[in-house]
Amino acid sequence: MGYKVAVVGATGNVGREMLQILAERSFPADEVVALASERSVGQVVSFGEDDELRVQDLSRFDFKGIDIVLSSPGAKVSAAFAPRAAEAGAVVIDNTSQFRMDPDVPLVVPEVNPGAIAGWCKKGIIANPNCSTIQMVVALKPLHDLATIRRVVVATYQSVSGAGKDAMDELFTQTRAIYVNDPVERKKFTKQIAFNVIPHIDSFMDDGATKEEWKMVVETKKILDPKIKVAATCVRVPVFIGHSEVVNVEFERPITADEARRALRAAPGVSVIDHRVDEGYVTPVEVAGEDNVFVSRLREDITVENGLSMWIVGDNLRKGAALNAVQIAETMIRDGHL
């Protein structure tokens, strides 16, 4: 017996990726429904290589009979519809920031804290973490198990697809404008993104951090360990797909780069590409379309006791969003929650 699945935000970057991944992984669905805002009603979206779905109106949709909702429509929309879908009997796996820090909503990365899924029954909602948090904690989990992480300092290099399709269009349009000597127009970003980097993602908070940086701090604590101290600086870069992170980690106990490399190679969802030669590392171009989180440039940091530095790269639309949500649903089925 298959499940009835609704994908909310089906016309967005993540929603389209959710549909693609459901088809790729032969998810056991008897029916898949594509939902979006009223302005997208009637559009056709791809489901796998051969099938298409016609978009229906989220505001008018009756969730009765739907088993699983994969959601990525924006926080305000999720706040309005997710409780309604849960009340109708669906499990909502939400990719927005709306429910992540709700104590009654589990925040889950299946390779890291699958046991937290059991808390879904409190509100019928499971939160998908922030894209940058996901790829970082997937890599940190086996190292934390090995030597206990004390402190993490991370700088991100986040692609424009994390800000949506309009952001991708703006990078393309600005790049073309520069080459043909046209005026460069800014709509989505606070500064020119083409041939530039912007140390500002989401809104600023009172302490000078951005909301994106705050998310990485509090989400890491909720998913991995509340004792871990995290300092984050999040930067938008002119890359279409793929987030990268420079991560410096301080541990409670001694750990060598070789020990860390072995632990990472044995960990689920991690690929280690770490050769100290030209091209012996991974960049965002290579990880687009890949499911795993990739670790390169792993080395010991001699400036602190028990320190390591590494380079972590992942496809932000897949493992950073859509794939993680589908994996949560797969884990629920495997463990008998559905």
Side-chain angles (χ1 to χ4, degrees), residues 26 28 101 126 144 170-171 186 212-213 217 221-222 224 234 241 269 275 299 313 323:
S26 299
M101 298 315 297
I126 298 174
H144 186 55
E170 185 160 315
L171 172 57
R186 286 189 291 110
E212 186 82 355
E213 292 156 356
V217 173
K221 290 175 176 289
K222 183 173 180 178
L224 194 55
C234 295
I241 295 174
H275 307 287
R299 60 208 188 275
V313 188
L323 174 63

Side-chain angles (χ1 to χ4, degrees), residues 102-122:
D102 186 324
D104 291 329
V105 174
L107 184 65
V108 176
V109 179
E111 298 92 336
V112 180
N113 63 335
I117 288 175
W120 72 272
C121 54
K122 293 180 181 178

Side-chain angles (χ1 to χ4, degrees), residues 11-17 158-177 185 187-189 193-194 236-243 288-289 315-318:
T11 58
N13 283 346
V14 175
R16 290 177 185 271
E17 201 71 33
Q158 296 179 226
S159 67
V160 295
S161 57
K165 183 179 181 300
D166 289 345
M168 298 177 75
D169 291 343
E170 185 160 315
L171 172 57
F172 177 84
T173 302
Q174 287 185 359
T175 303
R176 182 176 58 184
E185 296 184 0
K187 296 179 181 178
K188 184 71 177 179
F189 295 110
I193 185 61
R236 191 73 71 188
V237 297
V239 171
F240 283 107
I241 295 174
H243 287 359
D315 184 325
N316 56 293
L317 298 181
R318 290 182 72 88

Side-chain angles (χ1 to χ4, degrees), residues 46-60:
S46 297
F47 179 55
E49 293 186 3
D50 302 320
D51 294 328
E52 294 180 333
L53 303 174
R54 194 165 296 278
V55 176
Q56 301 181 43
D57 187 353
L58 171 62
S59 65
R60 298 174 180 269

Side-chain angles (χ1 to χ4, degrees), residues 132 135 154-160 197 201 233-239 242-247 284 311-313:
S132 297
Q135 69 182 59
V154 54
T156 71
Y157 305 78
Q158 296 179 226
S159 67
V160 295
V197 297
I201 301 177
T233 301
C234 295
V235 182
R236 191 73 71 188
V237 297
V239 171
H243 287 359
S244 306
E245 299 169 347
V246 169
V247 181
W311 171 252
I312 302 172
V313 188

Side-chain angles (χ1 to χ4, degrees), residues 44-85:
V44 172
V45 291
S46 297
F47 179 55
E49 293 186 3
D50 302 320
D51 294 328
E52 294 180 333
L53 303 174
R54 194 165 296 278
V55 176
Q56 301 181 43
D57 187 353
L58 171 62
S59 65
R60 298 174 180 269
F61 187 75
D62 184 356
F63 285 95
K64 188 175 181 179
I66 295 293
D67 299 303
I68 302 166
V69 177
L70 302 177
S71 164
S72 190
K76 291 182 179 179
V77 177
S78 281
F81 97 85
R84 175 165 62 90

